[in-house]
Amino acid sequence: MTAHLSCLRPLASVLRWLALLPAAGSVLAAAPQPPIPYSENGEVRAFVGEMQDRHGFDAAALLQTFAEIHPLNAVIKAVMPPKDPQVRSWSNYRARFVEASRIDAGLRFWQEHQAMLTAAGRDSGVPEEYIVAIIGIESIYGRHMGRFNTFAALATLAFDYPAINPLTDADRKALFRGELEALLLLARETRRDPLSYRGSYAGALGLPQFLPSSIRNFARDGDDDGRIDLETNPADAIASVANFLKRHGWEPGGTVAVPALVSGDGHNELLAEGILPRRSVGELAGHGVTTAESSPLIANAPAALIDLVTPGQATEYRLGLRNFYVITRYNRSSFYAAAVHDLAQTLRAERSVRTTPRETDY
């Protein structure tokens, strides 16, 4: 009898412990739900129908591809503005790109691919240092090309773009929808799985960080091997960057930007006009803007006043000419174009110093 009761006591304790546990249904209810695949999204289904109608895609097969992806929270987070926005600083921005490790990497890249850079510069009219600078700023010569699944990232921005600015959200969503369309066309044209691409959170790919539409429109086979590979082939990246700038109106031999001085308040009207070159140096002088540069190319060329603001410091002003504007077609930011220009000039100067024989070498 005693033995029998001793066996019941542990059993009773177990029953009391089980009674404290939540019911099985509540445990299941608390379990995280798997993300809903994009194949179940109504907008996606409409998009698939459009791809079938416009481009002859197999709707069922494309829906199956969408079934393998879902919204990427990391992409939504990346595209959101910071909760505590920092005041834009040209000094800080420039320091990120015109710095020792990137300069050293750029000089090595230039030396390793000199022949291709020479050919690309000759064919496009774009100086070699600007090609090198852009690839350096975009991916540090292939070190940082992004690890997001490009198809999923573009789908996220096309169909789940977050509410940021009512004036621009619809346009941004449409832009990424167009890039998603371009990615699918690119994948079909190159017979590649659309799920195989990896790039930035915004869908940029390869050493030059081209969006899919830019790859289709501007990418070039730089070494004539019959294929374009911007992810592992520097020759293709070099030729493609040069072609992009050429096709957007690069002026061979033209100036990019020069320092400017301003006086009075007349220059504020020029800043409001934006970065498209509109006015001659003479017209700019009438608004209190001057430059020490006296080249006829500058005197007769339209320019725009560019302000590079650093909080707590005097604003740096430059005149941006046609080629400065062309660089902003790559990234529509005056900070970006100014950083490309400064890195290019630094690379050119440093290369000259490092390759010039010293007296002690004789």
Side-chain angles (χ1 to χ4, degrees):
M1 184 68 175
T2 303
H4 179 68
L5 288 175
S6 64
C7 291
L8 289 176
R9 288 193 189 102
L11 178 60
S13 298
V14 170
L15 291 173
R16 284 195 301 272
W17 178 78
L18 287 174
L20 297 175
L21 293 176
S26 62
V27 172
L28 292 175
Q33 297 298 309
I36 299 174
Y38 265 124
S39 56
E40 298 182 26
N41 182 300
E43 282 189 77
V44 170
R45 288 180 170 272
F47 173 79
V48 168
E50 293 170 9
M51 294 298 289
Q52 181 182 43
D53 294 341
R54 284 206 303 268
H55 304 296
F57 276 81
D58 182 318
L62 188 51
L63 270 178
Q64 183 56 46
T65 304
F66 274 107
E68 298 186 42
I69 63 169
H70 55 79
L72 299 181
N73 291 331
V75 168
I76 295 174
K77 182 178 179 180
V79 80
M80 291 292 290
K83 293 181 180 178
D84 299 316
Q86 299 288 322
V87 176
R88 293 190 71 214
S89 166
W90 161 239
S91 177
N92 291 343
Y93 185 95
R94 185 185 189 279
R96 288 170 51 199
F97 300 111
V98 187
E99 47 83 27
S101 63
R102 205 176 304 248
I103 293 167
D104 288 341
L107 292 172
R108 288 194 299 272
F109 183 88
W110 198 341
Q111 182 177 5
E112 291 169 8
H113 305 290
Q114 176 66 75
M116 187 62 236
L117 285 161
T118 299
R122 181 181 61 246
D123 294 343
S124 66
V126 179
E128 298 170 28
E129 61 266 28
Y130 286 93
I131 302 171
V132 176
I134 283 178
I135 296 175
I137 285 179
E138 291 294 337
S139 69
I140 317 183
Y141 309 101
R143 289 186 202 168
H144 297 155
M145 296 188 290
R147 297 183 179 180
F148 287 90
N149 181 295
T150 304
F151 186 61
L154 288 174
T156 299
L157 296 172
F159 303 114
D160 285 289
Y161 193 85
I164 298 174
N165 184 339
L167 298 178
T168 59
D169 288 348
D171 289 341
R172 297 293 291 172
K173 189 173 181 179
L175 181 151
F176 289 113
R177 186 168 171 147
E179 292 301 333
L180 182 62
E181 178 179 3
L183 180 69
L184 287 168
L185 292 169
L186 175 66
R188 185 172 69 177
E189 291 160 359
T190 56
R191 299 187 178 186
R192 181 170 170 178
D193 182 354
L195 294 170
S196 69
Y197 294 89
R198 294 290 184 277
S200 77
Y201 73 87
L205 297 161
L207 280 84
Q209 291 290 278
F210 271 19
L211 288 170
S213 63
S214 289
I215 295 176
R216 296 187 70 234
N217 291 323
F218 306 112
R220 289 293 177 268
D221 178 3
D223 56 2
D224 296 322
D225 65 353
R227 60 191 295 266
I228 296 174
D229 174 12
L230 299 184
E231 295 163 88
T232 65
N233 190 335
D236 292 353
I238 289 166
S240 298
V241 170
N243 185 59
F244 182 97
L245 297 175
K246 176 183 178 180
R247 293 274 300 278
H248 281 82
W250 187 275
E251 295 180 346
T255 302
V256 174
V258 295
L261 298 173
V262 302
S263 60
D265 298 324
H267 67 282
N268 290 322
E269 179 184 343
L270 302 177
L271 294 174
E273 292 179 354
I275 60 176
L276 179 66
R278 301 173 186 272
R279 297 175 181 266
S280 68
V281 170
E283 289 180 282
L284 295 170
H287 289 76
V289 178
T290 58
T291 177
E293 299 285 345
S294 58
S295 164
L297 291 175
I298 297 171
N300 298 323
L305 181 63
I306 307 299
D307 61 334
L308 303 172
V309 178
T310 299
Q313 299 181 25
T315 297
E316 181 179 342
Y317 292 97
R318 301 183 186 184
L319 297 186
L321 287 89
R322 174 66 187 177
N323 288 341
F324 185 92
Y325 180 76
V326 169
I327 296 173
T328 67
R329 301 308 87 192
Y330 209 109
N331 181 317
R332 303 195 176 196
S333 160
S334 58
F335 275 22
Y336 176 86
V340 167
H341 176 65
D342 286 7
L343 180 57
Q345 294 302 304
T346 302
L347 287 167
R348 169 62 72 180
E350 190 65 23
R351 187 169 186 267
S352 177
V353 168
R354 297 189 188 188
T355 57
T356 299
R358 298 169 298 176
E359 291 184 6
T360 55
D361 294 333
Y362 293 98

